[in-house]
Amino acid sequence: MHRTGELSGQFQTLEQQKESATLGMWLFLSTEILFFGGLFLTYTINRHTYADVFSYSSRTIKLSWGAINTVVLIGSSLTMAMSVWSAEVGKKKLVTFFLIATLVLGGVFLGIKGIEYHDKFVEHHVPGLGFDMYYCTKNPGACNLRPEDLQKERVELDELTKKMGGETAVNANSQLFFSLYFGMTGLHALHMIIGAGLLLWLIKQSMAGRFTTQYNTPVENVGLYWHFVDIVWIYLFPLLYLIDRH
Amino acid sequence: MSTTPPKPPGYQLPEEHYLNATYGIRSWLLTTDHKRIALLYLASVTFFFFIGGIFATMIRIHLLTPAGYLVTPETYNKLFTMHGVAMIFFFLIPSIPAVLGNFLIPLMIGAKDVAFPKLNLLSWYIYITGGCFVLYSFATGGLDTGWTFYTPLSSVYSNSAVTPAVIGIFINGFSSILTGLNFVVTIHTMRAPGMTWFRLPLFVWAQYSTSIIFILGTPVIAITLLLAGLERMFHLGFFNPALGGDPILFQHLFWFYSHPAVYIMILPAMGVISEIIPTFARKPIFGYTFIAASSIAIAVIGFFVWAHHMFLTGESTYAALAFSLLSYLVAIPSAVKVFNWTSTLYKGSISYDTPMLYALGFIGLFLIGGLTGLFLACLGLDIHIHDTYFVVAHFHYIMVGGAVMGYVGGLHFWWPKITGKLYPEFLARLAAVILFVGFNLTFFPQFILGYLGMPRRYHNYPPEFQVLNVMSTAGASILALGYLLPMIYLTWSMRYGKVAGRNPWPATGLEWTTASPPLTENFDVTPVVDWEPYDYKNRPDLGLQTPTAPTLAPAHGDD
Ligand code: HEM
Ligand SMILES: [Cu+2]
């Protein structure tokens, strides 16, 4: 590939090139659906088997950060859609602007995710790293929790322990929940990071004025990818954060 | 024999073609030409075939005596595991798609290349990277979980190098996915004018179906092995009952890919056979649309039969019934193909050239493999023969007798196109016969062994099974000779073979209308297709006067 919109050697026409790229992206996304599908299935089965522990574990995740992140991500989908639109109508400056906006929102999302992961680390809720659901209640002050929340947690945890017949069961099963939590959100975050890389590449191209009304398939395809990653989150958020909130 | 290749009158190698267009190792390692990438794959899958073959030889030598002859029980576990992993993931799955598919699809549809040539090269590098991880695992402790990686053996108890192997197979999966994606897009958007869907060679239909399985199945095994690997590395519990996980879930996820994967292995071979049969029967293929549609049907139904590998895990009887029924259904499109091939032979003017010998062998062996699959899908019978040598014989009839025969037959069929040279016909026929005999001697006794109750994956066996085991090992040595021969004479023919010309058989496909070996751009001008597939009647350009009486006998390397 050489200059703006130039045709790669194996194609005859620009339309053929565009059609190929778009079809390729859709096929890639169908692969992705099945890739995440294995995780969703594992989640569903365990959620069904260990409903109580999953509900409880889900409630220990802070809702506010997840909710903010959902809004941030939907916002980034909007800016992404705007940049695709700008490319189609040939507003070169706007393309760059909206791409940067998308990148910033993506960065905010990842930052917040980092804070959440850090919280979980402090609370000893990371599987494999001294996992202990009872850490916060047994070490008051070690976790960043308000006293009334801690009290609530203690009550709920006692009840759950009785129901499950011991701390070992609670820890084993909630470790499953958090393995899935980190597995799913981690894989999602990895996709966000790859998306951010793609956005950087697009921004560079866009600043060089490469995207025109005739040639804007890369923007469109990265857009498809970005929306897909958003949609995954739209499923992850209720499954992981909202199992049982009242 | 002279040292310079002989040149028969009339045929000349083209002055410039894809093999001599550029020189040097860089021009190969950085190539985006689908034909060169195909050859890169040819070299690498052959390498893994060797590795897998060495393990197989050791297994068969070990089983010469009831107590086990060669290795410790632990090493025996590693041998069959590494044999399976090398053969399935690094030889058979990529073999026909990545070698023949890469080489032929653009030529068959009249395109300059695949839709994404750089991605195609990347797929090869991904394959090599995955392969290195797996070789690393083999070299540092080996692998003893069985190619199925069942948990919690693989995630908790095994002391072998599971982690690098799992990572390697995970990585390799993306090579399959990207190759599949590339093929589907290529077939959709790169066809030459006039090359309608129902003029596509059946090989292309088969590759299309296979690619769908690549795209929809492979990600599932990727995530499954990733989870098993994470479980092993960080002591998580997805599939570990001690931590509340479910080992049966692993099996479901594993077979959700791995049953369709058996169709990844056989469908492309069926495509090869569908090309060879009409060529050497000099007749249009019987029931083109049925064969094309049955490929798609196999790809689709193949996704809904996975739990027939798990009848003995205590799955519910109703589930087992459904999966048994669906497994019977998937045999229908396979049978459709067999019937269509035999009908094509009926009243054809058949010549028994090497590719045809492989094709005929394929039909017989696939028939046995497929029918014994139905035995296994039968709920009551499977209780008796599950995890015995009967299963081993079943899948070797299909994977070796079917898929590998198709691959080797296809290599012979398109060898003149790939290299521009003919192989020595007599030796090639001899090798085909040796393979057929060696194969049956190796694997038929295993049906009996399994039926009598010899379990698979054991390092020793009761003395009464020795005779059949010795037969099997004897067959394996004949089989090995049968594989070595083509490797030798095909390599030899690259330099010393007779020049083939454009269309030595002659065959009807678009790939035969261009030079052998083809130019880098495949065709001088974009071809326009105005004939129907396999139409021997209306193709005066082939030099056959009437469809039943060929005036031009197929070209041979030694006549
Ligand atoms: C005609 C349709 C087929 C049917 C109904 C069928 C049925 C079965 C069944 C029920 C089993 C499980 C046996 C057991 O574990 O007890 C099995 C195993 C197997 N089949 Fe088939 N099969 C068919 C075609 C194929 C094809 C086309 C291939 C490969 C190209 C294949 C390869 C295998 C392999 C590799 C195994 C053993 C897996 C393992 O446990 O390691 N089968 N088959
Ligand atoms: Cu199966």
Side-chain angles (χ1 to χ4, degrees), chain B residues 88 92 147-148 150 254-255 258-259 261-267 270 308-312 327-328 330-331 334 366 369-378 382-383 385-388 391-392 394-396 398-399 403 456-457:
Chain B
I88 291 189
L92 202 49
W147 78 280
T148 43
Y150 275 11
F254 179 85
W255 288 112
S258 293
H259 182 83
V262 309
Y263 294 109
I264 290 179
M265 300 181 237
I266 199 70
L267 273 170
M270 292 169 156
H308 66 207
H309 295 270
M310 301 167 57
F311 287 150
L312 271 72
S327 307
Y328 276 80
V330 82
S334 311
F366 175 71
L371 286 177
T372 51
L374 291 177
F375 293 17
L376 291 166
C378 167
D382 187 57
I383 295 176
I385 48 187
H386 175 71
D387 262 348
T388 67
V391 176
V392 177
H394 154 69
F395 66 74
H396 281 91
I398 295 196
M399 304 209 292
R456 64 192 281 214
R457 295 181 172 174

Side-chain angles (χ1 to χ4, degrees), chain A residues 100-205:
Chain A
I100 293 178
T102 313
L103 182 65
V104 170
L105 289 172
V108 171
F109 178 93
L110 285 171
I112 293 181
K113 204 77 227 149
I115 299 176
E116 289 188 277
Y117 281 180
H118 181 256
D119 282 352
K120 289 285 119 189
F121 177 76
V122 172
E123 293 166 9
H124 284 230
H125 287 178
V126 185
L129 297 178
F131 186 88
D132 185 9
M133 281 313 272
Y134 299 87
Y135 179 78
C136 292
T137 48
K138 284 183 181 159
N139 303 282
C143 302
N144 196 5
L145 292 174
R146 283 176 302 171
E148 62 266 32
D149 286 344
L150 196 62
Q151 186 51 34
K152 193 168 154 234
E153 190 167 320
R154 186 167 287 134
V155 173
E156 286 186 14
L157 200 49
D158 278 348
E159 202 177 303
L160 186 69
T161 313
K162 267 195 218 102
K163 201 163 170 185
M164 298 299 298
E167 297 190 358
T168 328
V170 172
N171 264 336
N173 300 341
S174 57
Q175 182 162 347
L176 260 181
F177 174 84
F178 279 105
S179 301
L180 285 162
Y181 169 82
F182 281 101
M184 293 165 107
T185 57
L187 195 63
H188 177 262
L190 180 69
H191 278 78
M192 295 283 299
I193 293 170
I194 293 172
L198 291 172
L199 282 171
L200 273 175
W201 170 72
L202 281 188
I203 290 168
K204 207 175 133 228
Q205 309 259 320

Side-chain angles (χ1 to χ4, degrees), chain B residues 346-364:
Chain B
Y346 181 66
K347 290 198 171 164
S349 123
I350 295 172
S351 46
Y352 295 96
D353 298 271
T354 311
M356 188 62 158
L357 294 184
Y358 281 101
L360 296 175
F362 175 98
I363 297 181

